[in-house]
Amino acid sequence: MNLAISTVEIAILIVLPLVVFFNRSGMPAPKRVAWIILFYLIWYLTYSLFHEFCHYAAAKVMGLEVQDFKFLPAFWKGEFAGGFIRTVYENSFQEFVVVLTPYVRDVLLVGCGLALIRWKLVRRTVSMALVILLLVLSSFYDVLDNFFAYWRGNWNDYWGMSHYVSRIYVHVIGATLTFLCFLGGLVALREVFKHVAGTHTDRPAMRD
């Protein structure tokens, strides 16, 4: 994926919602900045881990041989992106399932995040931000970033899907997953921003 495009996506889909959320929380400015930086680092250091582990787990559940894998970039060597899993597939359906798994997980995580927020199971500022970040924003970013890269002609997971179904179906799958994550994420963010706005109006600051 083009570095400039990925940077813009991260800024809009990950950083901007965090900034808006914490700005509405009523926290003092230095504390807001510290939490935003910390949460961004948490996301950055775990994004590839969770994504690649889904591929790995799906391959193991299907009884496939995993020849090699890397869950995290070697940050200590100056690598800041990239993870992979190298699997021996017996047929294209197995490949389809393994490469699709993280994106199905993304939709389910957005649904879980939305449920936690709408049912008011998380109320504290930091807990709510963590749910939004790891369950909602990260999932939408994962689906959109990879689908957009495929749409631009990059070789990625979606190419693996095209070994089993035609490219038109891959586009339908990608568009559907993106729409579901976008819709769930939009509703979740609306609920969160409405909550922090109401809480900030009622009290000087939310609990943290």
Side-chain angles (χ1 to χ4, degrees):
M1 186 67 172
N2 183 278
L3 179 60
I5 294 176
S6 292
T7 301
V8 171
E9 288 178 347
I10 292 171
I12 294 175
L13 301 179
I14 302 296
V15 178
L16 181 59
L18 285 177
V19 171
V20 174
F21 175 83
F22 280 108
N23 279 346
R24 295 186 178 189
S25 70
M27 282 186 182
K31 205 170 186 179
R32 293 200 303 265
V33 172
W35 277 117
I36 291 169
I37 293 173
L38 177 61
F39 272 47
Y40 173 76
L41 290 175
I42 290 173
W43 172 79
Y44 184 74
L45 294 173
T46 59
Y47 168 72
S48 177
L49 170 64
F50 293 149
H51 180 94
E52 299 303 334
F53 181 76
C54 280
H55 289 311
Y56 180 87
K60 286 298 185 180
V61 167
M62 297 185 73
L64 302 177
E65 177 188 352
V66 177
Q67 294 181 322
D68 194 13
F69 63 89
K70 182 169 74 171
F71 289 157
L72 289 171
F75 300 111
W76 54 95
K77 295 181 180 179
E79 295 179 12
F80 297 101
F84 66 86
I85 172 173
R86 201 166 289 130
T87 307
V88 178
Y89 299 108
E90 298 173 1
N91 54 64
S92 58
F93 175 73
Q94 293 175 337
E95 183 179 10
F96 176 80
V97 172
V98 170
V99 298
L100 181 63
T101 299
Y103 309 105
V104 173
R105 174 216 62 169
D106 289 333
V107 174
L108 295 176
L109 287 180
V110 170
C112 290
L114 178 58
L116 289 172
I117 292 165
R118 296 206 73 172
W119 296 341
K120 296 180 171 40
L121 299 178
V122 287
R123 293 175 177 272
R124 292 181 177 274
T125 306
V126 173
S127 301
M128 191 174 289
L130 196 61
V131 167
I132 283 293
L133 175 64
L134 296 183
L135 299 188
V136 178
L137 299 178
S138 183
S139 298
F140 180 50
Y141 169 82
D142 190 37
V143 169
L144 180 64
D145 178 67
N146 283 278
F147 180 51
F148 186 49
Y150 172 75
W151 182 78
R152 293 179 63 250
N154 292 3
W155 188 90
N156 64 1
D157 288 341
Y158 283 84
W159 277 106
M161 295 184 207
S162 67
H163 295 158
Y164 181 69
V165 298
S166 67
R167 293 194 64 184
I168 184 64
Y169 288 116
V170 175
H171 282 284
V172 170
I173 291 170
T176 301
L177 294 171
T178 302
F179 174 74
L180 291 174
C181 285
F182 171 76
L183 184 62
L186 192 64
V187 175
L189 287 175
R190 186 185 65 180
E191 292 289 326
V192 163
F193 291 154
K194 182 170 41 174
H195 178 77
V196 294
T199 307
H200 184 44
T201 301
D202 296 338
R203 293 194 300 269
M206 289 182 67
R207 294 176 295 168
D208 55 10

